[in-house]
Amino acid sequence: MAEPYLSASAMRGGYGKADILNGCTLTVDQGQIAVIVGPNGAGKSTAMKAVFGMLNLREGAVKLGGEDITRLTPQERVHKGMGFVPQTHNIFPTMTVEENLEMGAFIRTDDYRETIEQVYHLFPAVADKRKQNAGELSGGQRQQVAVGRALMTKPRLLMLDEPTAGVSPIVMDELFDRIIEVARTGISILMVEQNARQALEIADIGYVLVQGANRYTDSGKALMADPEVRRTFLGG
Ligand SMILES: Nc1ncnc2c1ncn2[C@@H]1O[C@H](COP(=O)(O)OP(=O)(O)OP(=O)(O)O)[C@@H](O)[C@H]1O
Ligand SMILES: [Mg+2]
């Protein structure tokens, strides 16, 4: 069997002495959508930070496309093909939408105009506001800017920490549709979601994380069908 595109295995580590991640493992194949769900404080954002290199791991390894990148900085990981949208502070509110996208292209030395156009094509609402400050946009539009910004480096793996936080159900569905569209182009998606049911619906693989460890791992459909998972994590 081919190796998964992202393989983050047995990650252990935290912010101080106590570990937040207790052997967490996450893998994503090329073009797959992987979804992490779990209670508040389970370590979902911490796991994302660890995959992106923002956390020193005490144990475990992160491999991308077969290459061990465990020791690389976040910026080096961007060069290797990772894009990350953090849970908070994921846009520059006092810069225009277009400037936000340009900032996203910071590592590019080639012409990124075409990528900006692709982002506008993906998110027409954002295109309409390109000259406005990002801070003036609605919650859903801001999240689109944040995702667009991450797409500017043409990542092979797009990591999204709660992309639908604070948006209405309709905007959430819309955003999920766009994420599916991105995955269909061959980009792998690793996403944390509070809207667990809706996210598992579109997940090729789902992870239920509890106290920094994998509690359940299965296809999104199988997790949704598991009575124990439903009762404990999906509200029945
Ligand atoms: N920068 C930090 N410094 C110290 N502790 C932190 C830091 N960030 C998070 N923690 C702690 O790590 C634990 C896991 O937090 P994390 O943000 O990863 O959870 P989460 O699963 O993403 O939760 P949520 O669903 O609320 O976003 C929590 O106990 C939190 O207090
Ligand atoms: Mg979080």
Side-chain angles (χ1 to χ4, degrees):
M1 219 173 80
E3 209 175 344
Y5 182 61
L6 170 75
S7 165
S9 52
M11 295 186 291
R12 222 172 262 285
Y15 302 93
K17 281 222 175 74
D19 286 342
I20 301 296
L21 300 179
N22 296 300
C24 170
T25 290
L26 303 165
T27 67
V28 192
D29 286 335
Q30 196 202 330
Q32 256 196 345
I33 299 178
V35 170
I36 306 170
V37 301
N40 292 122
K44 303 182 296 297
S45 295
T46 304
M48 297 288 267
K49 289 182 206 163
V51 171
F52 195 58
M54 293 167 71
L55 193 84
N56 284 327
L57 287 179
R58 219 160 47 70
E59 280 176 34
V62 182
K63 280 185 174 187
L64 193 70
E67 183 186 353
D68 191 323
I69 58 163
T70 314
R71 302 276 157 241
L72 298 192
T73 64
Q75 181 154 341
E76 288 166 337
R77 292 180 203 218
V78 172
H79 279 282
K80 295 286 180 193
M82 283 187 172
F84 180 38
V85 180
Q87 184 169 1
T88 56
H89 303 98
N90 53 25
I91 56 160
F92 301 99
T94 59
M95 296 173 106
T96 67
V97 166
E98 186 128 319
E99 285 164 350
N100 268 272
L101 298 181
E102 285 165 359
M103 290 293 282
F106 71 110
I107 63 160
R108 302 264 304 261
T109 51
D110 58 336
D111 185 6
Y112 53 73
R113 206 55 243 173
E114 193 185 321
T115 316
I116 290 199
E117 290 311 318
Q118 286 166 354
V119 169
Y120 286 155
H121 185 74
L122 190 65
F123 299 121
V126 162
D128 291 343
K129 310 247 170 182
R130 64 183 80 185
K131 297 294 174 207
Q132 246 173 280
N133 278 354
E136 296 168 7
L137 272 53
S138 73
Q141 290 164 349
R142 279 193 227 198
Q143 288 298 67
Q144 293 176 22
V145 173
V147 174
R149 183 192 53 73
L151 286 171
M152 287 304 298
T153 55
K154 298 211 258 184
R156 306 300 307 150
L157 169 71
L158 181 61
M159 297 170 47
L160 309 167
D161 194 347
E162 303 210 15
T164 69
V167 310
S168 70
I170 289 172
V171 173
M172 175 183 73
D173 286 345
E174 170 77 26
L175 204 48
F176 281 161
D177 282 346
R178 296 291 84 80
I179 289 166
I180 292 170
E181 209 175 303
V182 170
R184 289 216 175 109
T185 67
I187 297 176
S188 307
I189 309 278
L190 178 62
M191 170 165 83
V192 172
E193 261 301 334
Q194 210 67 253
N195 293 303
R197 284 166 177 273
Q198 292 87 345
L200 288 175
E201 196 94 51
I202 67 162
D204 298 299
I205 181 162
Y207 294 97
V208 181
L209 210 65
V210 180
Q211 292 177 353
N214 300 59
R215 178 67 62 89
Y216 299 95
T217 305
D218 214 324
S219 71
K221 284 205 167 54
L223 289 176
M224 300 247 286
D226 184 324
E228 183 65 26
V229 174
R230 292 176 73 96
R231 185 154 44 83
T232 320
F233 301 102
L234 303 175

